[in-house]
Amino acid sequence: MAATVKPRHAAALALVGWYLILPPQASHLDPQCSKSSLTTIQQKKCDSEAVQIVLDAPLAKWQAFTYWQNLSDCEADKKSSDTPEETSLMKRAWGDLSKQTGISPDAYAAARHRMQNAGKCIATDKARALGIEGPAPRMAPTDGSRLKGN
């Protein structure tokens, strides 16, 4: 005998999507780094923590990066690499940031790579229970391209 799904349960299931969540940078976990006024020494410490990825942080501290309607699209996003346009934009931004922080663009690129490789797909209802807020739901593109979260 087949089990039937009540309409209210079906509606709840339809609302579940998937977030690709990424581990935090050490600077996001350091309360000192969230202050608006830092000494030069504190700022340098926070700058160096920006390229330290905390892989063993509790999931509640991870950040939702993209939203997907199904797990297979989320997993595909996790395995994908950046487009040449995305890579170019990031390298320019890291170059500018490097001038301010003294941290090489390669260190930023390596940190991003570690974050992406460690990413996990998590159901939105579990994410909400952990207090993780994510980007607004979006439809998966039909042309094979990727959509990024906010």
Side-chain angles (χ1 to χ4, degrees):
M1 176 185 287
T4 58
V5 177
K6 295 182 179 183
R8 69 176 178 266
H9 293 144
L13 289 174
L15 295 175
V16 174
W18 296 87
Y19 289 136
L20 173 58
I21 62 171
L22 303 177
Q25 298 158 287
S27 58
H28 290 175
L29 300 178
D30 185 343
Q32 188 78 41
C33 296
S34 64
K35 294 181 179 177
S36 60
S37 177
L38 298 175
T39 67
T40 302
I41 293 171
Q42 291 168 331
Q43 185 62 56
K44 289 214 177 278
K45 177 179 176 268
C46 292
D47 290 343
S48 70
E49 287 179 353
V51 294
Q52 298 171 20
I53 308 306
V54 185
L55 299 175
D56 60 350
L59 286 180
K61 299 292 184 180
W62 288 43
Q63 302 155 338
F65 183 63
T66 52
Y67 171 89
W68 296 100
Q69 290 185 327
N70 60 62
L71 179 59
S72 61
D73 287 338
C74 183
E75 291 290 346
D77 185 31
K78 180 183 172 203
K79 294 175 186 171
S80 68
S81 57
D82 295 318
T83 66
E85 295 82 16
E86 290 170 327
T87 300
S88 177
L89 285 170
M90 284 185 281
K91 282 186 178 180
R92 279 198 308 267
W94 291 330
D96 293 343
L97 192 56
S98 180
K99 291 173 190 170
Q100 296 171 4
T101 65
I103 295 170
S104 77
D106 289 341
Y108 290 109
R112 175 164 165 65
H113 183 72
R114 283 192 307 277
M115 287 175 79
Q116 187 77 13
N117 284 343
K120 300 177 187 299
C121 291
I122 183 173
T124 54
D125 59 340
K126 182 175 180 181
R128 282 189 294 272
L130 289 169
I132 299 171
E133 294 184 22
R138 298 182 179 183
M139 297 290 290
T142 57
D143 64 356
S145 64
R146 299 184 303 153
L147 288 175
K148 292 290 180 199
N150 301 343

